[in-house]
Amino acid sequence: MDAKVLIAKRVAQELKDGDLVNLGIGIPTLVADYIPQNVKVLFQSENGIIGMGPIPEEGLEHPDLTNAGANYVSAIPGAVCFDSAMSFGIIRGGHLDVTVLGGLQIDEEGHLANWMVPGKIIPGMGGAMDLVTGAKRVIIAMTHTSKGEPKIVRSCTLPLTSIRKINLIVTEMAVIEPTQDGLELKEIAPGLTVEEVLKVTEAKLKISSDLKTMKIEGM
């Protein structure tokens, strides 16, 4: 199974009926495709939409209906659009249940760096800082390594997104939860061993006493 699809399927299991959810650019956008049928969530975009639907069919795109990544989206019945001030009031006011974001690095304390690589041209931090700070729950959906280098590290060398710790890390290899005692390995992907996960993780991991194998449909 494609690594990004595996991550998206596992993250989708974390969403609960009635959640108001923000999906970041990249792997997080795939999560919407794998929400369980019995779970109904509302998707919010920081550019001012609650009630985003799937990508519209070709020819049915509306130039004013896009997500924060400027990709065309549709709107479900009852959807609402509003300005950025209202949108960030929702985020900063703690009204967003879950945000799912990508990550460049996460340190042993659960701090996220996801908005800038030094030396590369970037448009800015966008809503990442607000989302990590304001959402009730922050889930990071990312690959475990980048070009063979660990992304879960002892200390971030890239600029942090927020001083707030995230709540859960989901990669194609593992599910890891930041705790008071450090990062705890909760689940590993089917067919992998703990040693294989540890080998590509720079940060120290505490192995859960209730370690499980990820339950992924199709694996």
Side-chain angles (χ1 to χ4, degrees), residues 174-191:
V175 175
I176 299 168
E177 181 181 4
T179 71
Q180 294 285 353
D181 300 320
L183 300 180
E184 183 173 350
L185 181 61
K186 307 282 286 187
E187 300 178 18
I188 58 174

Side-chain angles (χ1 to χ4, degrees), residues 65-192:
L65 200 55
T66 64
N67 60 20
N71 300 308
Y72 289 116
V73 295
S74 60
I76 64 171
V80 61
C81 296
F82 35 79
D83 64 16
S84 291
M86 174 65 77
S87 185
F88 279 89
I90 291 169
I91 296 169
R92 295 171 183 172
H95 305 292
L96 196 65
D97 293 301
V98 181
T99 184
V100 183
L101 300 171
L104 297 172
Q105 291 180 334
I106 297 176
D107 69 16
E108 286 187 342
E109 295 184 349
H111 295 119
L112 169 70
N114 83 333
W115 69 280
M116 186 180 82
V117 176
K120 290 192 175 183
I121 297 174
I122 56 167
M125 185 177 285
M129 174 179 64
D130 301 272
L131 289 163
V132 175
T133 303
K136 294 175 184 175
R137 192 160 188 243
V138 182
I139 300 173
I140 303 305
M142 68 178 193
T143 54
H144 208 91
T145 62
S146 176
K147 299 179 181 179
E149 294 298 318
K151 295 172 70 173
I152 304 173
V153 296
R154 292 189 184 90
S155 180
C156 291
T157 57
L158 300 175
L160 294 183
T161 304
S162 171
I163 60 172
R164 177 189 169 184
K165 300 175 183 179
I166 57 93
N167 300 101
L168 196 70
I169 308 163
V170 179
T171 76
E172 78 279 18
M173 300 184 74
V175 175
I176 299 168
E177 181 181 4
T179 71
Q180 294 285 353
D181 300 320
L183 300 180
E184 183 173 350
L185 181 61
K186 307 282 286 187
E187 300 178 18
I188 58 174
L192 290 184

Side-chain angles (χ1 to χ4, degrees), residues 40-83:
K40 304 298 180 185
V41 302
L42 285 173
F43 289 110
Q44 182 261 5
S45 179
E46 59 262 40
N47 62 325
I49 308 172
I50 287 180
M52 281 194 301
I55 297 172
E57 295 179 19
E58 187 174 353
L60 296 179
E61 303 93 342
H62 193 289
D64 293 329
L65 200 55
T66 64
N67 60 20
N71 300 308
Y72 289 116
V73 295
S74 60
I76 64 171
V80 61
C81 296
F82 35 79
D83 64 16

